[in-house]
Structure formats: structure tokens, C-alpha cells
Amino acid sequence: MTDTRPPRIARRMADIDSFQVMDLLARARELEGQGRDIVHMEIGEPDFPTPAPVLAAAQRALAEGRTHYTPALGLPALREAIAGFYRDRYRVDVAPERIIVTPGASGALLLALGVLLNPGERILLADPGYPCNRHFVRFLNGAATAVPVEADTAWQLTPRHVEQYWDDRTIGAMVASPSNPTGTLLGREELAALAGAVAARGGTLIADEIYHGLIYPKVMGEERPLPASPTNVGEGRGGGSRATSALEVAPDSFVINSFSKYFQMTGWRLGWLVVPPAYVREVEKLAQNLFIAPSTPAQYAALAAFSDDTLAVLEQRRAEFQRRRDFLLPALRELGFGIPVTPEGAFYIYADCSALAADSAQFSRDLLEQAGVAVTPGTDFGSHHPECYLRFAYTTDMARLEEGVARIRRFLGR
Ligand SMILES: Cc1ncc(COP(=O)(O)O)c(C=O)c1O
């Protein structure tokens, strides 16, 4: 007999949305199945394969039978290697004991919020922002305070927002620099001021640095210095420019990073979390219970992620992402999209399409169905006038980006 009872689904699930971009991607795949050619500018992961030295390290580890659990906090050698990366690239000393290896930045976010947040407590988040954050907060029966941010603050939280939105249930603020979906950064001064404003209220700053390494400070041919605030860059190892880590200006922050984006290891599911010493044991207990340990082969692979050979490959790819940004940004502006702040990181451009269409969700459907171009509507990133925005991801090669722009131009009748 079939069970006719309705499923018993927890109330929280009503507040947890799916990614609309996944529906869009499914439709794009369906169209491709029918023989249509689609330019993919919706995908939030690098199109490059994992660098060869990392693959080789993984193969060696598997051949050596490294398939058992590691400690919950991660392989000691990998925690040392990450500490070395902070020393080399940021000139900052982070004790390896404070570094916890996690199943992606996603695992790190869950652990960080898990040890910090009581039911009913609040976290400030920028809207637009990475949608999973508010869902993690909801999952833990906390409440996300969505702070509407605008181009005038490079889409980032500021001390003014903290002052305005903090209440007696708020325990911290989460930022991502560079941000998804806007690609904009918090400069050193902004980050320090924000951390100061949070600390002054006894709160904790959680800084998601998953797009660090993918930084493009200057637009080629643009002579004047970049507008607005996110201008803090310096030379890092490998000759590339870098963003400021919260660990440089506010060592007591919770800092999240990942091997997914700069290191191009999305499918390996590996990231890390840096916490103040007093929290390590608590994170360890939670990690033991939630995950037992991060993936062992992935950790051995990641030991090769900081080698000179790997960093050389990653820097070439960073240069390629910069070339794409430098093409796509003026091309979209020329088509009539509003992009008031130059995105200096990640691989996203958050473009105001209100001069071209009334509703970005419908616009993205039309672009897919009629022009064969897939982009993500603003609705995936919050509720602060998302109908005005599209997120373009330059995670496809130059020829395809050029084709995508040409198709949008034709669609708009230009
Ligand atoms: C801002 C941000 N944080 C975290 C994540 C999760 O990344 P991971 O693959 O490391 O779990 C993403 C993925 O797109 C992201 O954009």
C-alpha cells in the first residue's frame, strides 16, 4: 500500500530557497539537448581544470593508499602550508593551530556560525550577497538581518550600516571581499573600520575571503585610479595583486577561505576557517560531529596547491580572468548596463539592467530563450531591488564572451 500521509517537513524548510540559477541552468541544458548553442555566463566556478601539480599530488596520495580519516581539524601539514601562505602572501603570522581545514567554504561557514550563533540571534549580511549565508543562519534558527547596500559603498557593509542595523540580538556581521555577486572589495581601511564597529558592539566579524587571489586592480586603458573605495592592493607572491585579509587588520575575526575558486578545485570540496585560539576546541568538536574530517585525498592534493609550479599556473589564469573582465566590463556598459563601481575581483559583474528591461528575471529568461545567453537574475542574491540586476560570470573563454555580447547586442536591436 502506498503511504498517503503528507511528508513531515520541518518548518525551516519553507524559508530555504533553491538557487534560481539552477533552474535556469537546467533549462539551458534542455535547450542544448535540442541542439541550441548557449553561451554560459551564469556559472559561478572557474572553467579551468585543477592545476596539474595538484592532480599529480592526489594521484600519488591515492597510490599510497591515503584514504583513511585525517584529524577533524585537518592534516597538520596542510594547516602548516596554509599558515605559510598567509606569511608569504599577506606577511601575516597565523598560528597553524588556529587554521581548520573544512569541506569547502560551505563547511567553514557552517562551523563558524555553529559555534557563534544561538537561536534567535542575528547576523548582519549585505543584500545583495551570497544567498547560502542567510540559509545557514536560518538553519541554525538564527535570523539574518539583510542590510540593503548600494554602489555608493561598493555594495559592502560599512560602520554606518552597523550603527543603523545593529540591535541587542545582533552578534556579528558577515562580509565577502571580493563579493559574490558584485565582485567588489573592502579596502584595508574599510575593513579595519568595519571590524572596529563590530568589535565596539562586542560582536564578531566573519570575513569570507573565498575569492582572494582573483583580484584585478586596474582596468587596462583606464588611466585614472579606480573609483570609490576598494583600492587596496599590493604585490603578492607570484607577482599578482592581492586583497586585504581581515587577519591583517582584525586578527580576532573568523576568516573563511577555500580551495574552490582561486585554486580551481571546486569539486574537491575543501576550504578552511581561521578562528581565534579560544574557539578552536569548539570548532573541533563540531567538525568531529558534523563531518568527522575533510576529504583525505583532497587534503593531500591541496598540499601541492601552494607550490611555486601551481602558483605560476594560477597567476596565468588570474591574468586570463583579468583579460575577460577588461573585455566584458566596457562591452556591457556600452550596451546600456549600469556598472557604477568597477568590480576588482572574483569573476562577476553585477549589472543594472533597468534601462533595458523592467524585470531582470524575465530578462534573463528572454536572453536564454531568444538570444541563447544564460545569466543569473538578481533575485538569487537578495530582495534589495533584484529586479534591476543581472549577474554576469566570466567563467567562459574570450571567444564565447565575445559571442555572448554579440548576441545580447542583436537581441537589444543595436
Ligand atoms: C561567497 C561564497 N562563499 C562561499 C561559497 C562556497 O564555496 P565552496 O565551494 O568552497 O563551498 C561560494 C560559492 O560560490 C561563494 O560564492
Side-chain angles (χ1 to χ4, degrees), residues 309-325:
D309 286 355
T310 304
L311 292 177
V313 171
L314 296 179
E315 284 305 311
Q316 277 167 15
R317 293 176 179 178
R318 187 185 66 83
E320 181 54 27
F321 278 124
Q322 163 136 24
R323 220 162 68 82
R324 296 174 183 179
R325 194 277 314 259

Side-chain angles (χ1 to χ4, degrees), residues 44 104-106 109 130 176 180 208 210-211 258 260-261 266 269 348:
S106 307
L109 285 161
Y130 180 59
N180 177 6
D208 183 345
I210 184 170
Y211 292 103
S258 176
S260 286
K261 310 288 173 154
T266 41
R269 310 307 307 128
Y348 304 120

Side-chain angles (χ1 to χ4, degrees), residues 28-380:
R29 299 282 183 229
E30 199 174 78
L31 291 172
E32 284 170 330
Q34 296 164 11
R36 289 275 305 276
D37 176 70
I38 306 295
V39 177
H40 289 278
M41 297 162 91
E42 81 283 34
I43 294 174
E45 67 174 324
D47 50 324
F48 299 106
T50 296
V54 176
L55 293 177
Q59 277 152 359
R60 268 196 313 277
L62 290 175
E64 289 164 6
R66 307 228 186 246
T67 54
H68 296 280
Y69 293 139
T70 69
L73 295 176
L75 278 179
L78 184 55
R79 298 167 73 198
E80 292 275 356
I82 295 168
F85 186 64
Y86 280 111
R87 243 187 337 268
D88 291 345
R89 190 160 276 208
Y90 298 88
R91 310 264 175 260
V92 64
D93 271 321
V94 182
E97 297 73 36
R98 294 175 53 200
I99 299 169
I100 296 119
V101 184
T102 58
S106 307
L109 285 161
L110 189 57
L111 290 171
L113 290 168
V115 300
L116 287 169
L117 195 65
N118 286 309
E121 290 179 339
R122 294 186 159 274
I123 296 273
L124 304 188
L125 302 171
D127 178 352
Y130 180 59
C132 301
N133 289 340
R134 68 172 188 275
H135 295 145
F136 279 128
V137 172
R138 175 64 188 87
F139 182 62
L140 294 163
N141 297 325
T145 304
V147 178
V149 290
E150 299 284 349
D152 64 349
T153 66
W155 311 106
Q156 295 282 1
L157 294 184
T158 65
R160 180 174 53 77
H161 293 123
V162 171
E163 192 183 333
Q164 197 178 340
Y165 287 90
W166 200 275
D167 65 16
D168 56 8
R169 288 193 296 152
T170 305
I171 60 124
M174 276 174 99
V175 293
S177 171
S179 141
N180 177 6
T182 65
T184 52
L185 277 76
L186 280 161
R188 176 180 287 266
E189 283 77 31
E190 288 95 345
L191 195 50
L194 185 66
V198 171
R201 288 162 178 81
T204 304
L205 181 70
I206 304 175
D208 183 345
E209 302 184 349
I210 184 170
Y211 292 103
H212 270 218
L214 297 171
I215 305 294
Y216 331 107
K218 293 201 178 62
V219 178
M220 277 175 243
E222 203 174 75
E223 274 146 44
R224 63 197 164 77
L226 287 166
S229 49
T231 48
N232 176 65
V233 290
E235 287 300 295
R237 187 171 171 193
S241 297
R242 66 171 181 85
T244 300
S245 170
L247 293 167
E248 295 172 73
V249 295
D252 279 349
S253 312
F254 277 55
V255 170
I256 283 148
N257 207 323
S258 176
F259 290 96
S260 286
K261 310 288 173 154
Y262 175 63
F263 297 97
Q264 293 153 30
M265 295 176 66
T266 41
W268 300 76
R269 310 307 307 128
L270 203 67
W272 72 85
L273 170 66
V274 183
V275 299
Y279 291 88
V280 173
R281 178 64 186 142
E282 300 307 312
V283 175
E284 182 177 29
K285 285 192 304 190
L286 194 55
Q288 287 167 343
N289 281 282
L290 290 183
F291 311 123
I292 299 185
S295 155
T296 301
Q299 291 187 76
Y300 279 96
L303 282 173
F306 305 107
S307 72
D308 288 343
D309 286 355
T310 304
L311 292 177
V313 171
L314 296 179
E315 284 305 311
Q316 277 167 15
R317 293 176 179 178
R318 187 185 66 83
E320 181 54 27
F321 278 124
Q322 163 136 24
R323 220 162 68 82
R324 296 174 183 179
R325 194 277 314 259
D326 290 352
F327 161 72
L328 191 59
L329 180 64
L332 292 177
R333 283 176 172 158
E334 201 252 323
L335 287 176
F337 290 94
I339 310 162
V341 186
T342 296
E344 291 182 84
F347 28 63
Y348 304 120
I349 296 177
Y350 198 56
D352 183 345
C353 59
S354 55
L356 305 170
D359 170 18
S360 62
Q362 185 58 44
F363 191 33
S364 76
R365 281 193 292 273
D366 292 345
L367 284 174
L368 178 61
E369 299 289 338
Q370 296 171 41
V373 177
V375 293
T376 309
T379 35
D380 259 0

